[in-house]
Amino acid sequence: MYHFVWIPKYRRKVFSEPYREMMKRIIHKVGFDYDIDIVGLEIPKDHIHMVVRSEPKISPSHIIQVIKSISAREFLKCYPDIKRRYFWGSKLWTQSYFVETIGNANEGSIRKYVQNQLLELDRKETNSDQLGLF
């Protein structure tokens, strides 16, 4: 099992509704089409957390390459206005990503972490004492 995290280009906060739900559907469909078992998926406004179970012969770099390339193409095809407004270089994702393996001992804690990402970010924003720039 692997835990992936990646961000959109320029760290744009584009994944509010209905875009978040569409991206979830696209990623789950890619997983289904390519036999990648997506165990957990959460999409805050500016990044994606995903927990994946796959065969050891499939490398994590191949998994993320497939998911990022197809999800970007399908998402930008559905929302050309987002492409024109935020991603003028026609790239949705940055080249980088984070991946870690998950053992059986910490699988539950990672799943819980991924599922609670939106709640945690909302809590931090509500309790933040940081001043706005403008």
Side-chain angles (χ1 to χ4, degrees):
M1 290 188 75
Y2 302 103
H3 174 215
F4 290 96
V5 180
W6 71 97
I7 62 173
K9 195 102 168 158
Y10 317 115
R11 193 81 188 217
R12 296 287 190 186
K13 296 182 181 202
V14 296
F15 296 119
S16 56
E17 294 301 340
Y19 309 119
R20 174 183 295 131
E21 194 56 41
M22 177 57 86
M23 183 55 76
K24 280 185 174 184
R25 278 192 248 136
I26 290 169
I27 291 174
H28 279 291
K29 182 173 181 339
V30 172
F32 178 79
D33 291 346
Y34 285 84
D35 292 326
I36 299 168
D37 184 16
I38 297 173
V39 177
L41 177 65
E42 196 54 67
I43 305 179
K45 288 185 179 183
D46 64 348
H47 63 285
I48 294 184
H49 285 270
M50 181 176 68
V51 177
V52 170
R53 180 181 293 125
S54 72
E55 297 179 24
K57 67 181 181 180
I58 301 173
S59 70
S61 62
H62 178 73
I63 292 169
I64 198 71
Q65 176 187 8
V66 167
I67 289 180
K68 283 173 71 173
S69 64
I70 296 173
S71 66
R73 184 176 61 236
E74 294 300 315
F75 184 79
L76 294 176
K77 189 187 326 178
C78 290
Y79 299 106
D81 56 320
I82 295 285
K83 180 179 178 179
R84 280 190 304 274
R85 186 171 179 192
Y86 296 114
F87 304 107
W88 52 88
S90 297
K91 302 235 187 247
L92 177 62
W93 307 118
T94 62
Q95 292 180 352
S96 61
Y97 62 92
F98 166 81
V99 63
E100 67 179 340
T101 58
I102 301 173
N104 291 337
N106 64 355
E107 176 185 346
S109 61
I110 296 292
R111 276 185 172 181
K112 186 175 178 182
Y113 171 78
V114 168
Q115 289 171 351
N116 292 330
Q117 277 302 292
L118 291 177
L119 297 173
E120 185 68 23
L121 287 172
D122 288 344
R123 186 186 63 77
K124 284 181 182 177
E125 286 179 7
T126 303
N127 297 332
S128 176
D129 292 333
Q130 184 173 353
L131 297 175
L133 290 176
F134 302 102

